[in-house]
Amino acid sequence: MNLRKLFILLYCLLPMGMQAQTINGKLVDEQNQPMPYANVVLLSLPDSAYVTGVVSREDGTFQLKNPEGTERLVRISSVGYVTIYNRCVAGDMGTLQLQSDAQLLDEVVVKADLPVTRLKADALETSVQGTVLSRAGTAEDVLARIPGLQKTKGGFEVFGKGAPLIYINGRKMRDGAELDQLSSEDIKSVEVIHNPGARYDATVGAVVRIRTVKRQGDGFGISLRSSYDQSQNADFVEQADVNYRHNSLDVFGMIRFTQTDDRQEDLLEQTTYADTLWTQRNYQRADEEDRELSGRLGFNYDFNDRHSIGLRYDVSKTLHNIENSIFDSEVLADGAPYDILHSDIYGDADFRPEHSLNAYYAGQIGRGQLEWDADYYSEVYTGNVRNVEDSQDHADRTVTSQNKVDNKLAATKASFTYPLWGGSFSVGGEYTYTDRHDDYINPEGYVPTSYSRIREQNLAGFVQYSHPVCFGSRGGGQASLGVRYEHDDFDYYEDNTYIPGQSRTYDNFFPNASLAGQVGKVQFQLSYAAKTRRPSYSQLRNNVTYANRFTWQTGNPRLKPSLTHDLTAVGVWRFLQAVLSYQVTRDYILYWGVPVEGQSAVTLINHINCHRMPILTAMLSASPTIGLWNLNASAVLRKQWFSLESVGQRRTYDNPIFIGTLNNVFSLPLGFQLTADFSYQSRGDAQNGTCWRPLYFLNIGLRKFFLRDALSIEARGNDLLLGGKQGFRLYMQSAQMNDLTWSDSRSFSLTVRYKFNAVKSKYKGTGAGQDAKARF
């Protein structure tokens, strides 16, 4: 009887086993790097009807079920790659390599060194390895030539999206100097995400992901860099990177010294509409000297190909920080001379060492991928200012101030990605705690002395689900849906007393959705995301700082975060890329000025929330290579619709701004490379002001490699046409400011780099709480 039952059980299980065959494999690209988020679809024969499908994991592996155990057609596709078709019943398909779709690049002269830009999952990916961009110099030089990115004085901006969050191999970039430290030869690709999903902080308008070349082998490596830049002053950078790799252990370190001397000049005319019409004609020149020493030490350890841990410690010390300014003012009252002021302003700052610590774990748990990070950051400095103000017709003043700032941050985040229902499901959370003390002391009492503290806790969680979709015979695409929840608890203290009216709590959901795919030779992505922008701690402060007797500055603890709804469309056709973005922001944060109560001649500069700000951004870029010439050209149009009551009348600010870039790289004989970059920004309106003067820059550089590329020397001229003067007119409640500002941007630089057996770090930490750190 028992034997009969056993045969019956085996008979029942046999067809089940035949009907539930498993097909698995691994996908890689041309550089044998894992291919995540590719679509693997099972089709029936002979009608090619859809049976089931999955998305490849982060490591490129996939697994799907063949429900009936009959021969099927397996279709493997990813946007920008040639689709693979294989017949299979079950078993391991091994490692499959996807090739770039060369048909996307016809009608240009395609060379082996063409940097291809294509859509990949949620991002516009530009290949760097093996292209002319790999010899550009640094990661900064590479990003300046990526479609949709613009280099600014403070870093980079994605057109229409603002400053991006930058990742290097999945780790959030802590310091903008890292881009200058990373060689272009070590970069595999750059991805630009124009509308980030729920896994990213809701304050992030764009993301740039840099992936480096995977180096093989063990040993010791060193990379040296020396840079000299001469403008009106001389700047220096001296840097050494070391790396030691043995088996599963990777140890790395860096030491860097920078010396920067900057000059900025302003011609500022300010008109204040009060009981008296006050007019100031000002000239300011500010010279800042800064010396900084920084270092880094870290390691990571791979237990196997599924689990790794790491620790990274960064420390920096500002050795010297001094700012000397002169400020000359001619003051008119109702058009008649009132006073002539001359100010000598001396400032210095004492910085304690700045500390940053990051730890991470990355591992595969079953079929899922777990990532965890923790961060700690601290910064303490004291700024001292002495303003000696001489008046021709009124009393002289000497105004001194001391500003003590103490910032601390602790953060942790975790995410888990798991294949589910033929797609990919991600869930995660993040917690950030910040504490800022900001004391401003004015012994003379010209402005109030204040002692403020801001303590903030942010708790966030997200879910994101992606699934393959079909778009005819050209292959598949991907649909994604997610939501992020953020709880923000903001506590404000003044003189160690909790202020309920300036403290608040926010609970918000930020949904997102996207659809990406390919129809014919056109790749596309349509996306929606809700975003927020939280005020910086400086914008929220309550203390008042003294500029001169007619202008003070302060924060606004009552500022509310802004909320943005973003619709973005991205398209790629051959060597052309197009991006169209429409954003509507509520509670937009504006630079503003109001009269001081009881002192109508004094303008108090702060920030306010406006009701609504719609902005349209359209970009078209082309990146062909023709012979020895590689071109990256972009045309951008930005237009806002905005009106506001200011200086006694309703004003409309809707004149568009045009931005054009023309970046050229010429690969010359004997290993020389010539670059010529030009950018232009037209007149137009931005927020509650007008750019009344166009901006333009011309930079030219020449680079030469020696000793089998181990040594490189680069000479460069920046802002050769002196077009970096910016003119802006700002309208506020009772005042109007017209400013022409320029800096010592025309310069000549010489950079020498040498590398010996240099290997890249395997560090995989992504960093937590970086947005809160930036708000410091």
Side-chain angles (χ1 to χ4, degrees), residues 213-500:
V213 178
K214 186 177 182 180
R215 300 299 184 189
Q216 303 296 327
D218 294 343
F220 175 79
I222 185 169
S223 178
L224 305 175
R225 179 259 180 98
S226 179
S227 182
Y228 164 77
D229 186 273
Q230 180 65 55
S231 54
Q232 296 183 45
N233 301 294
D235 300 336
F236 299 92
V237 177
E238 308 295 335
Q239 178 185 322
D241 289 84
V242 294
N243 188 280
Y244 176 74
R245 179 178 296 166
H246 180 68
N247 294 332
S248 298
L249 178 65
D250 184 34
V251 180
F252 54 89
M254 183 273 292
I255 186 168
R256 176 183 173 97
F257 172 78
T258 59
Q259 172 183 310
T260 56
D261 294 334
D262 293 325
R263 169 171 290 185
Q264 180 170 314
E265 298 178 77
D266 291 84
L267 290 174
L268 174 64
E269 184 172 302
Q270 178 175 324
T271 305
T272 302
Y273 300 86
D275 48 3
T276 301
L277 181 65
W278 297 95
T279 304
Q280 299 179 58
R281 298 169 183 163
N282 306 313
Y283 167 75
Q284 181 179 20
R285 188 189 72 208
D287 293 288
E288 183 177 8
E289 302 174 7
D290 189 84
R291 312 286 183 269
E292 183 175 300
L293 182 65
S294 56
R296 177 182 307 135
L297 186 64
F299 80 93
N300 79 240
Y301 182 79
D302 296 332
F303 294 95
N304 47 49
D305 59 354
R306 296 165 59 93
H307 301 277
S308 64
I309 61 171
L311 187 71
R312 169 173 165 154
Y313 172 65
D314 290 81
V315 61
S316 63
K317 176 71 167 71
T318 298
L319 306 174
H320 174 82
N321 182 268
I322 291 179
E323 182 172 349
N324 294 321
S325 304
I326 61 170
F327 196 94
D328 293 321
S329 300
E330 179 185 358
V331 184
L332 305 177
D334 289 330
Y338 175 79
D339 202 355
I340 294 179
L341 301 172
H342 173 81
S343 297
D344 288 303
I345 306 169
Y346 308 92
D348 66 78
D350 177 33
F351 289 80
R352 296 184 188 176
E354 181 180 324
H355 303 276
S356 180
L357 182 66
N358 172 260
Y360 83 91
Y361 164 78
Q364 188 170 340
I365 310 298
R367 297 170 58 197
Q369 184 73 27
L370 175 65
E371 295 180 355
W372 170 83
D373 268 276
D375 269 280
Y376 173 78
Y377 170 81
S378 70
E379 173 194 40
V380 180
Y381 65 88
T382 302
N384 302 288
V385 177
R386 184 170 183 263
N387 186 341
V388 180
E389 191 176 83
D390 295 328
S391 170
Q392 175 178 283
D393 301 313
H394 298 82
D396 297 337
R397 289 182 180 179
T398 297
V399 183
T400 60
S401 64
Q402 186 178 76
N403 188 201
K404 298 180 179 179
V405 177
D406 185 347
N407 293 318
K408 286 184 173 58
L409 174 146
T412 185
K413 69 174 184 177
S415 64
F416 185 70
T417 303
Y418 190 80
L420 182 66
W421 302 327
S424 177
F425 177 77
S426 297
V427 60
E430 184 170 356
Y431 173 76
T432 304
Y433 172 83
T434 56
D435 191 359
R436 176 184 175 92
H437 292 260
D438 192 340
D439 301 337
Y440 185 83
I441 303 167
N442 173 226
E444 296 84 13
Y446 290 111
V447 294
T449 291
S450 62
Y451 302 89
S452 63
R453 180 187 183 190
I454 295 173
R455 188 173 62 183
E456 187 173 15
Q457 298 183 79
N458 182 273
L459 181 64
F462 77 88
V463 292
Q464 186 89 25
Y465 182 70
S466 302
H467 197 279
V469 293
C470 295
F471 292 101
S473 61
R474 281 292 298 176
Q478 179 173 285
S480 182
L481 187 66
V483 65
R484 183 180 181 94
Y485 164 77
E486 292 193 0
H487 169 83
D488 194 65
D489 192 1
F490 178 90
D491 296 327
Y492 182 80
Y493 297 82
E494 190 171 326
D495 296 330
N496 293 321
T497 302
Y498 177 73
I499 310 297

Side-chain angles (χ1 to χ4, degrees), residues 429-641:
E430 184 170 356
Y431 173 76
T432 304
Y433 172 83
T434 56
D435 191 359
R436 176 184 175 92
H437 292 260
D438 192 340
D439 301 337
Y440 185 83
I441 303 167
N442 173 226
E444 296 84 13
Y446 290 111
V447 294
T449 291
S450 62
Y451 302 89
S452 63
R453 180 187 183 190
I454 295 173
R455 188 173 62 183
E456 187 173 15
Q457 298 183 79
N458 182 273
L459 181 64
F462 77 88
V463 292
Q464 186 89 25
Y465 182 70
S466 302
H467 197 279
V469 293
C470 295
F471 292 101
S473 61
R474 281 292 298 176
Q478 179 173 285
S480 182
L481 187 66
V483 65
R484 183 180 181 94
Y485 164 77
E486 292 193 0
H487 169 83
D488 194 65
D489 192 1
F490 178 90
D491 296 327
Y492 182 80
Y493 297 82
E494 190 171 326
D495 296 330
N496 293 321
T497 302
Y498 177 73
I499 310 297
Q502 296 179 4
S503 304
R504 66 209 67 170
T505 299
Y506 296 102
D507 291 279
N508 299 102
F509 287 91
F510 302 98
N512 72 278
S514 68
L515 177 66
Q518 183 172 325
V519 177
K521 296 180 180 180
V522 177
Q523 303 171 280
F524 71 90
Q525 182 194 51
L526 304 174
S527 62
Y528 160 79
K531 300 292 180 182
T532 188
R533 177 192 168 193
R534 298 189 184 91
S536 69
Y537 294 122
S538 177
Q539 293 171 343
L540 292 169
R541 75 186 194 277
N542 199 41
N543 54 43
V544 178
T545 58
Y546 184 92
N548 62 26
R549 62 185 67 190
F550 291 96
T551 306
W552 300 351
Q553 291 181 317
T554 187
N556 181 3
R558 298 184 184 276
L559 273 180
K560 296 183 293 184
S562 60
L563 177 64
T564 299
H565 297 279
D566 188 315
L567 289 170
T568 297
V570 180
V572 177
W573 180 70
R574 297 180 175 134
F575 62 92
L576 298 176
Q577 307 91 37
V579 179
L580 184 65
S581 176
Y582 180 69
Q583 298 174 317
V584 178
T585 302
R586 298 190 179 276
D587 294 321
Y588 195 97
I589 299 175
L590 287 179
Y591 196 73
W592 196 240
V594 298
V596 174
E597 186 176 353
Q599 301 183 61
S600 60
V602 182
T603 299
L604 184 63
I605 304 297
N606 62 1
H607 291 80
I608 62 168
N609 292 110
C610 72
H611 176 61
R612 188 172 180 267
M613 175 80 77
I615 300 175
L616 176 69
T617 305
M619 183 200 77
L620 180 65
S621 63
S623 51
T625 290
I626 304 173
L628 301 176
W629 174 33
N630 173 248
L631 170 68
N632 179 11
S634 297
V636 181
L637 184 69
R638 178 193 182 277
K639 178 177 172 58
Q640 65 179 31
W641 290 266

